Amino acid sequence: MSRAGLALALGVAGTLFGGHGARAQTSVEARSGITVGSHTSTAASLEWAPALSHEIRLARRLRPQVAITAGYVRTAFGCREGFCRGREPTITGHHAALGAELSHGWLWGRVGVLYGTARVGTEGEAPRAGPGLEAGAGLRLRFGRLRVGPGLSWRRMSADTPSSADRAIALGFDLGVGFEFD
């Protein structure tokens, strides 16, 4: 991700999480799991070639069931078909994420926007930063201030380079651990 994109994400996060409300609650959550996906320029469809993905987010609860989130998402998945045959590179995306989360009891759902890069392997043209979308859902068990639970995610990422307009789609299964501060 570019320095400008990281500075923008940190600025937005600071603005969103800076104030203290009577019912406000701030939390941090780290999630990690496996992701599969497809990338348009590889001519490979969604295939089973998982790689490890991670994310870390801050959340600020605005209402008992509504929160805003900001964080960093690293999405990775493998590729074995199409132009990947014989090379089997890893497609990796690095994105700032901003979104909204709804929760009710043990269930949560999230939608948001992404901004960053996605790249096939380590060779070739440098990727250009671009927008993306994400959605996720899962379960969250509470143990005092600690929250633990599985989740599913979907991400559509820009994977543009100076000579092509590509995109990547990723589906993931992960496990998250979160902590509430106030």
Side-chain angles (χ1 to χ4, degrees):
M1 178 188 332
S2 70
R3 288 183 186 181
L6 183 59
L8 176 65
L10 291 175
V12 169
T15 301
L16 295 175
F17 302 111
H20 293 290
R23 287 195 255 167
Q25 192 173 54
T26 303
S27 63
V28 64
E29 183 176 45
R31 302 191 74 79
S32 185
I34 59 171
T35 307
V36 297
S38 67
H39 186 279
T40 54
S41 70
T42 64
S45 60
L46 185 66
E47 58 183 288
W48 184 253
L52 200 55
S53 295
H54 315 285
E55 64 184 76
I56 187 160
R57 296 178 195 260
L58 292 172
R60 183 72 168 177
R61 194 146 306 282
L62 301 176
R63 302 219 186 297
Q65 297 177 335
V66 179
I68 51 173
T69 66
Y72 167 77
V73 177
R74 178 193 181 272
T75 307
F77 55 90
C79 178
R80 295 183 184 143
E81 300 298 323
F83 299 120
C84 296
R85 219 174 240 149
R87 292 181 28 208
E88 297 187 12
T90 299
I91 291 91
T92 307
H94 299 275
H95 294 84
L98 183 63
E101 181 177 293
L102 296 175
S103 61
H104 183 70
W106 293 0
L107 302 174
W108 63 268
R110 180 185 301 143
V111 294
V113 294
L114 303 170
Y115 186 79
T117 63
R119 182 177 191 148
V120 178
T122 58
E123 300 174 10
E125 295 180 301
R128 290 190 301 195
L133 299 171
E134 71 169 341
L139 300 174
R140 189 175 285 141
L141 303 174
R142 295 181 182 273
F143 302 97
R145 291 183 175 220
L146 186 67
R147 304 176 306 169
V148 179
L152 299 171
S153 65
W154 170 86
R155 294 187 183 109
R156 184 180 193 275
M157 304 166 283
S158 169
D160 293 347
T161 64
S163 64
S164 67
D166 294 321
R167 69 181 178 282
I169 304 288
L171 300 173
F173 175 76
D174 56 29
L175 182 64
V177 177
F179 183 78
E180 295 175 346
F181 291 107
D182 54 2

